[in-house]
Amino acid sequence: MKRKISILLVITIILSMLSVNALADEATEVAADAPAAEVYSLEGFSLADENSNLAFYINDANGFFALQNKKTGMVWYSNPLDWEQDTIAREGNREELSSQLVVTYRNASFDEITIYSSADADIVSEHNGKEQIFTYIFNGESRNFEIPISYKLEEDYLNVELKVEDIEENSDSRITNIILLPMFGAGGLNDQGYALLPDGSGSLMEFNIEYKNLNQYVGYVYERDLTSSASESTYSDLTERISLPVFGIKKNNDAFVSVINTGAGACSIRSFVSRMYSSYNIVCAQMIIRDTQTRRNAAEISGQGVYYSEDTPDSLEVRYYPLDAGKDSYIGMAEKYREYLIKEQGLSKLDNESTIANSLNVNILSSVKVPKHFLGVPYMGVSALTTFDEVGTIIDSYKSKSIDKLALTLSGWESGGLDSSTTTSFDPESKVGGKSGVQRLLEKADTEDVIVMFDANVQKFYGNSRDVKKFTHTAFDLSKTPVTIFPYSLSSYSSNVSDDFYQLIHPTYMIEFANEFTDDAIKNNVKNLSFMNAGLNPYAAYNDEDIVTRDVSAEKMRELFENVNNKTDGIVSTQGGNSYTLGNVDNIIEAPVYSSDLIIAQTSVPFYQIVLRGYVNLVSEPFNLSSEPIELELKCAESGMSPYYQLMMAESTSFYNTSYSQYYACNFNDYFDISVETYNRLKVIYDAVGTSTITNHQIVSEFVRITTYENGAKVYVNYGETEATVDGVQIGARSYVVVGGAN
């Protein structure tokens, strides 16, 4: 039976006609200030399950479902009930309106084809206890697929699972992507609200905005897989990283937040505004079921030979949480997601006496390999940038300025410097002081109550060492060769094939090497550890003996941080702060600060910080490498983040003729006074808010923001060029003021 909707009811039906049952009556209650057209119907639906908070209704014939929030009366539909009245959508876009799945596959000729469950599938409905399963059967000339979706109502959310491991592909065609519930909760032309996008710090896509030449938003969770993008010399993605696999919709006076519970590493977030493709504003998850890659040669990408993996993620599981009354905002979404992280990942509050909270973070660059000559013969040799004794001098300098919370992360300290082989043991570079220098530094740090963290490279492979071998420990791509990462040029939007490259350690060995390094570091009295790269980008590995899909890779990186956290009683730090690190890290450097400033989602919000502030110390991008340090300081004031610098005792010209030209302004003496002044200005906020969480965030005007903390402190930030007055508080141009909070 082909899925075609019959008459589902026009939105304008009078409330009194809805007398199916008490729950249906509740669904018709509309808030007085909601749009007049906001009327709900359960006609054609049957009750599948309910609890004290939620009710779940289904339509066996077409796969539609309705999720009712009993506390507010709101009903969230899988598809718009009035989709047939859409006069904007055409062809495939129209089929998407009534579909629960949009499937892309490659046929035997590697042609890419997209099909829609509403037009191309029959449905088999199965009730299994509390679980409702719809199996979509796609039969056609080049396809024969069976794709099951499971729905299960829990206490405060609906769990929707795309059972990838149970998909049947009974033909030569192979599925590559599936969009799950593309229209769930869609906002129409008469609705007010926005979609929350996890774009960098977070952004809002306002409903029904009208701009020319808009593009839909598609962002990869945790960025694009390095194993895939490494084979594309012209690949570029200038959007901010998605660190949290979460999205949501505020619609009139209600909201929900969606959390990708499993399969996040293989997902992207998709969103578009009304009038682009249809009359609706949407945000949803889509899963990369099967990775595809093209062969690459030394010159370019070969047009011959498309590879795709036969290994797929096990499942995509998305939780849809309807929010309580009064929580219909990105603040409420952040609070619900934080609650999820506490329950599911063990996220815990920072202690008020935490030594890492609100600290000045400095990344110390220790050594690097540079071109040298011996008897006229060129070679690459290690050059010291900051010795361990000089790190002690840096500590003295900051302490002389009464910087009471200082956290230093040492990079390039190990044998070989920044281009060192993968770290499997605690082996300090002799030119920066060796093990004796480390012990002197640790004693000084302990005396001065300063946190010193040693960053370990367990991801990037620069060459064989005694313990690490290229063809044994590196990750392979689909062509069964080690994944090779070449330098990328932003000016040409392409990578440069040269001798300057690195390869990736297999995710399984990352765990092994991190365990070995941690054990050896602890033996050397080192307890504060950093794994920067592991917090940024999980990647797939297609080694025959150990195939790891990207979602499994993210889980392995979660295991890495969990192991390290269990082994040490010190600080665990990372970079970027992807969701799989949460619950096991204390410090996140270069946490998301900005959104991508997309035309489709122009309102930037500190969603990431609202979720995590007070639970993890969040650290900004490097101030000394920022083109707009004042803007960055205002962002830190607005979101409660700690400032960050990347410094060294050597001159910045030390990186000439190396692959680290991004460190163009890192001399300690040049930025010492500036870093002290910046931190002391922000410290007024830190002293007022402590480790409090953010309880409210207000966008007062184009330039003014107000952040409220749980202890009552309010921070007023003015991004404008003229003075502003809000609530009787005067905020200078490009400045901030804190009111209330701790003394």
Side-chain angles (χ1 to χ4, degrees):
M1 53 184 174
K2 290 291 182 182
R3 291 215 313 122
K4 287 293 180 183
I5 295 182
S6 58
I7 306 171
L8 274 183
L9 181 68
V10 179
I11 290 181
T12 55
I13 286 185
I14 303 173
L15 296 179
S16 60
M17 295 177 63
L18 299 176
S19 57
V20 178
N21 53 40
L23 291 176
D25 287 338
E26 287 182 26
T28 64
E29 295 178 6
V30 182
D33 53 349
E38 192 73 51
V39 179
Y40 310 123
S41 170
L42 294 172
E43 182 176 305
F45 294 91
S46 60
L47 181 64
D49 195 10
E50 65 176 319
N51 57 39
S52 59
N53 298 312
L54 304 172
F56 178 54
Y57 297 84
I58 61 171
N59 185 317
D60 288 310
N62 56 32
F64 279 36
F65 68 81
L67 178 63
Q68 182 192 15
N69 183 349
K70 291 184 177 181
K71 293 183 178 180
T72 66
M74 177 65 171
V75 179
W76 297 100
Y77 296 102
S78 60
N79 304 82
L81 297 187
D82 59 349
W83 70 273
E84 290 180 307
Q85 300 175 27
D86 191 309
T87 59
I88 297 175
R90 295 289 184 271
E91 299 178 351
N93 296 325
R94 187 165 183 80
E95 300 295 350
E96 185 171 323
L97 296 178
S98 55
S99 294
Q100 292 83 53
L101 294 177
V102 179
V103 180
T104 301
Y105 69 95
R106 288 182 182 268
N107 62 18
S109 300
F110 294 98
D111 300 318
E112 195 169 75
I113 301 168
T114 298
I115 52 180
Y116 303 85
S117 61
S118 63
D120 303 297
D122 296 330
I123 299 177
V124 175
S125 177
E126 176 187 357
H127 302 270
N128 184 12
K130 291 181 68 65
E131 187 177 31
Q132 168 68 37
I133 300 176
F134 286 128
T135 300
Y136 295 81
I137 302 173
F138 294 85
N139 281 314
E141 182 178 348
S142 63
R143 62 192 179 254
N144 186 353
F145 306 139
E146 294 185 14
I147 306 175
I149 302 180
S150 163
Y151 300 97
K152 191 174 182 180
L153 195 67
E154 300 293 349
E155 179 183 1
D156 59 347
Y157 64 91
L158 176 67
N159 192 76
V160 181
E161 181 182 6
L162 176 62
K163 292 180 173 290
V164 182
E165 62 182 349
D166 293 334
I167 290 176
E168 295 184 16
E169 298 169 304
N170 302 310
S171 66
D172 292 334
S173 297
R174 291 293 178 264
I175 299 171
T176 55
N177 295 277
I178 296 179
I179 301 175
L180 178 65
L181 300 181
M183 303 304 296
F184 181 80
L189 295 172
N190 293 321
D191 292 313
Q192 299 173 359
Y194 53 75
L196 168 74
L197 308 183
D199 166 41
S201 63
S203 62
L204 306 180
M205 185 192 77
E206 302 287 344
F207 284 1
N208 306 318
I209 60 172
E210 294 189 59
Y211 288 97
K212 293 183 178 179
N213 302 319
L214 284 176
N215 293 316
Q216 69 172 338
Y217 171 80
V218 178
Y220 291 92
V221 177
Y222 313 141
E223 289 191 320
R224 182 82 181 274
D225 184 354
L226 287 172
T227 299
S228 297
S229 59
S231 65
E232 302 177 23
S233 65
T234 57
Y235 170 73
S236 64
D237 185 358
L238 302 182
T239 59
E240 295 290 323
R241 175 187 301 106
I242 292 178
S243 298
L244 304 178
V246 59
F247 56 92
I249 280 183
K250 170 183 168 55
K251 182 177 175 182
N252 304 320
N253 297 309
D254 285 88
F256 71 82
V257 64
S258 300
V259 179
I260 303 177
N261 187 52
T262 63
C267 280
S268 59
I269 307 298
R270 172 177 178 257
S271 185
F272 59 77
V273 72
S274 64
R275 298 185 181 89
M276 288 179 62
Y277 305 112
S278 70
S279 299
Y280 299 96
N281 309 269
I282 70 104
V283 62
C284 61
Q286 61 181 7
M287 172 169 264
I288 302 170
I289 300 297
R290 193 172 266 104
D291 194 10
T292 59
Q293 295 172 16
T294 52
R295 184 190 297 275
R296 178 176 185 159
N297 57 31
E300 265 300 338
I301 297 179
S302 169
Q304 304 298 317
V306 176
Y307 300 92
Y308 55 71
S309 171
E310 288 296 341
D311 294 272
T312 65
D314 291 336
S315 73
L316 167 60
E317 193 174 283
V318 183
R319 296 182 178 183
Y320 295 86
Y321 291 87
L323 301 182
D324 292 343
K327 297 294 184 179
D328 56 321
S329 67
Y330 58 91
I331 307 294
M333 296 177 195
E335 291 173 347
K336 178 58 73 172
Y337 183 55
R338 184 199 306 146
E339 180 183 311
Y340 164 88
L341 292 172
I342 293 170
K343 290 181 179 178
E344 303 293 337
Q345 293 188 206
L347 185 70
S348 59
K349 193 82 161 57
L350 287 172
D351 187 272
N352 286 331
E353 304 303 318
S354 169
T355 54
I356 193 68
N358 303 322
S359 54
L360 170 61
N361 269 245
V362 181
N363 180 207
I364 304 296
L365 306 172
S366 298
S367 64
V368 68
K369 287 182 180 178
V370 298
K372 294 187 176 184
H373 292 82
F374 179 73
L375 299 178
V377 178
Y379 71 100
M380 296 296 290
V382 175
S383 176
L385 302 172
T386 312
T387 67
F388 295 132
D389 288 340
E390 287 175 329
V391 176
T393 301
I394 289 174
I395 292 174
D396 288 338
S397 298
Y398 279 117
K399 285 297 178 178
S400 71
K401 297 292 186 178
S402 300
I403 302 297
D404 56 347
K405 286 194 172 185
L406 180 64
L408 307 179
T409 302
L410 273 57
S411 297
W413 58 270
E414 61 269 64
S415 180
L418 291 171
D419 288 321
S420 68
S421 298
T422 302
T423 309
T424 58
S425 60
F426 191 81
D427 183 21
E429 169 61 46
S430 60
K431 291 190 177 180
V432 297
K435 287 191 175 181
S436 61
V438 169
Q439 295 309 311
R440 290 194 300 273
L441 174 59
L442 292 176
E443 290 173 6
K444 184 172 192 62
D446 186 59
T447 300
E448 299 291 346
D449 198 22
V450 170
I451 295 172
V452 174
M453 296 169 280
F454 289 79
D455 184 56
N457 166 35
V458 294
Q459 183 187 79
K460 296 182 178 180
F461 174 84
Y462 290 99
N464 289 330
S465 67
R466 181 183 62 186
D467 300 318
V468 186
K469 306 299 179 185
K470 177 176 179 178
F471 291 101
T472 301
H473 298 115
T474 55
F476 286 12
D477 61 20
L478 286 170
S479 66
K480 303 304 179 183
T481 58
V483 180
T484 303
I485 310 296
F486 292 99
Y488 189 83
S489 171
L490 287 176
S491 60
S492 63
Y493 297 129
S494 63
S495 55
N496 303 315
V497 179
S498 65
D499 293 333
D500 187 12
F501 64 86
Y502 65 87
Q503 288 156 335
L504 299 173
I505 296 297
H506 192 287
T508 298
Y509 288 109
M510 283 184 63
I511 296 175
E512 180 181 318
F513 296 157
N515 284 337
E516 292 177 6
F517 169 77
T518 301
D519 290 340
D520 202 29
I522 292 172
K523 289 178 183 178
N524 284 273
N525 303 317
V526 173
K527 63 178 182 178
N528 300 316
L529 302 173
S530 167
F531 295 87
M532 289 191 189
N533 295 329
L536 285 173
N537 194 322
Y539 47 86
Y542 296 104
N543 307 49
D544 286 335
E545 69 282 2
D546 188 6
I547 293 176
V548 173
T549 56
R550 196 178 189 230
D551 62 317
V552 173
S553 178
E555 177 60 24
K556 284 183 176 292
M557 293 189 184
R558 184 206 61 77
E559 182 181 344
L560 182 156
F561 284 101
E562 182 178 44
N563 290 346
V564 173
N565 189 40
N566 289 338
K567 286 174 180 288
T568 181
D569 59 355
I571 298 298
V572 180
S573 181
T574 191
Q575 183 179 5
N578 287 340
S579 64
Y580 53 77
T581 69
L582 302 176
N584 291 303
V585 298
D586 310 284
N587 195 57
I588 297 174
I589 65 169
E590 296 191 53
V593 176
Y594 304 98
S595 68
S596 301
D597 196 25
L598 302 169
I599 296 176
I600 197 173
Q602 296 183 3
T603 304
S604 179
V605 294
F607 179 82
Y608 189 95
Q609 290 78 8
I610 296 169
V611 173
L612 295 175
R613 213 275 171 191
Y615 288 80
V616 186
N617 188 55
L618 303 177
V619 185
S620 73
E621 298 175 356
F623 268 76
N624 54 303
L625 300 180
S626 173
S627 60
E628 296 183 336
I630 296 176
E631 180 90 0
L632 184 55
E633 183 176 340
L634 294 174
K635 284 287 185 180
C636 286
E638 180 185 359
S639 60
M641 299 179 74
S642 295
Y644 179 54
Y645 288 81
Q646 289 182 312
L647 303 174
M648 60 185 180
M649 281 298 195
E651 295 296 327
S652 296
T653 53
S654 300
F655 288 114
Y656 181 69
N657 278 340
T658 75
S659 57
Y660 296 94
S661 58
Q662 70 268 30
Y663 300 129
Y664 52 83
C666 293
N667 178 259
F668 173 75
N669 292 321
D670 290 343
Y671 285 95
F672 170 66
D673 288 337
I674 295 173
S675 64
V676 170
E677 292 166 3
T678 301
Y679 180 74
N680 282 336
R681 286 194 297 269
L682 288 167
K683 190 173 182 295
V684 177
I685 294 176
Y686 305 145
D687 289 344
V689 304
T691 57
S692 294
T693 57
I694 296 173
T695 57
N696 197 21
H697 179 262
Q698 298 167 263
I699 302 174
V700 178
S701 66
E702 181 182 0
F703 299 115
V704 178
R705 307 286 187 271
I706 305 175
T707 306
T708 304
Y709 290 82
E710 63 179 331
N711 70 345
K714 284 190 174 184
V715 178
Y716 296 77
V717 180
N718 180 12
Y719 289 90
E721 298 291 345
T722 59
E723 183 181 275
T725 301
V726 179
D727 298 336
V729 178
Q730 289 186 326
I731 319 115
R734 309 282 280 172
S735 185
Y736 48 89
V737 175
V738 59
V739 176
N743 294 324

